[in-house]
Amino acid sequence: KIWMMSCVFFFFCHAEDGIRDRLVTGVQTCALPIYSEESIVALNKQLQSITAPLALGRHGFNPSFVNLDLDQVESELNVFMGRLLPLNVQPFLNSGTLLGYFRDGRPIPYDDDFDLGILLPGKTLDEIFHNWRGFRRALSEQFNVIDKGSFVSIKLSNGVQVDLFAAWIMDDDLYVHPYCWADVKQISLAPLGTLSIRGRDFLVPADPDAILSVNYGPNWRVPDPFWRFDYAKCKKRFRGALKELKLTD
């Protein structure tokens, strides 16, 4: 909630006068105390009507799927995933993208990017991390890659960001950065299945329910716009792997 109000304050300071006036009106129309859950939801809805085509998501104010041509972005994502296959990896819908499409058949309305897992080949950690670095190099030869440290991103033509996270299998255990450290077996992910979305097939985990339960907990079927990932836990569990994932050579 503090993060949300900070984003509102930042936007308020940089908004044009007309939008700023509408924002003030939107805040004033929240009848409940501003830090109650109901008031935060009401304020978020008011913000969406004021800031469109931008929407307040977990990365601040960015283009929202609510205001985009889904057919166009899904087509471009599908083509992009197809171009990854020759790079000796298996891309799959991951995290918030998997959650939205598997639960609702569309992106989460308050999300602002796509998430892909990249299943890497290799039987040892040395092989796996070597292949991750090779994938990053090969990807940068075809796309404008944004280095995020332990993961990488590209942007589609309409500005939607696609985040790519490493995934691997060792001794029948599954690892998906940043949320799964041998919490489930490889059978939950591989062999990958497909999910048909408006006539296009997208690669997805073999058992989306198991993967989403690890990522979001057992209540993942209930929408929660204020859900937050436990990055402290991630850093602790992936401590050894994070250094390797960040290496580029």
Side-chain angles (χ1 to χ4, degrees), residues 1-6 32-40:
K1 296 174 183 178
I2 294 176
W3 162 85
M4 185 179 202
M5 295 310 301
S6 298
L32 301 175
I34 194 61
Y35 288 108
S36 72
E37 198 72 28
E38 295 85 353
S39 181
I40 293 293

Side-chain angles (χ1 to χ4, degrees), residues 47-207:
L47 284 174
Q48 289 177 8
S49 68
I50 295 172
T51 64
L54 302 182
L56 180 59
R58 51 199 176 96
H59 303 116
F61 286 97
N62 289 291
S64 168
F65 288 115
V66 172
N67 304 309
L68 295 175
D69 182 342
L70 277 186
D71 185 67
Q72 177 191 347
V73 293
E74 289 168 357
S75 175
E76 195 168 345
L77 178 66
N78 190 260
V79 170
F80 172 68
M81 293 178 69
R83 293 180 64 180
L84 297 182
L85 293 174
L87 304 184
N88 196 31
V89 298
Q90 298 181 64
F92 58 91
L93 301 188
N94 188 38
S95 294
T97 303
L98 177 65
L99 175 63
Y101 280 112
F102 188 66
R103 184 183 63 195
D104 307 318
R106 57 167 296 131
I108 299 173
Y110 42 83
D111 205 354
D112 54 21
D113 65 0
F114 284 125
D115 300 307
L116 297 181
I118 303 297
L119 181 57
L120 303 162
K123 295 183 178 180
T124 67
L125 282 178
D126 286 342
E127 290 180 358
I128 290 165
F129 292 138
H130 173 76
N131 290 331
W132 172 245
R133 291 189 288 272
F135 166 72
R136 290 177 59 155
R137 286 194 298 271
L139 187 69
S140 65
E141 293 174 0
Q142 299 185 41
F143 303 93
N144 182 21
V145 174
I146 305 168
D147 187 351
K148 297 285 189 174
S150 58
F151 66 99
V152 294
S153 303
I154 65 99
K155 287 199 174 183
L156 302 180
S157 63
N158 56 10
V160 174
Q161 184 167 293
V162 183
D163 295 335
L164 294 84
F165 298 90
W168 64 91
I169 294 168
M170 279 192 63
D171 300 324
D172 198 37
D173 289 322
L174 176 63
Y175 301 82
V176 184
H177 178 253
Y179 62 85
C180 180
W181 186 269
D183 296 290
V184 291
K185 298 298 182 181
Q186 77 163 43
I187 194 173
S188 296
L189 179 70
L192 294 174
T194 58
L195 180 65
S196 181
I197 302 170
R198 281 171 278 284
R200 301 181 182 93
D201 288 337
F202 289 82
L203 292 173
V204 296
D207 186 352

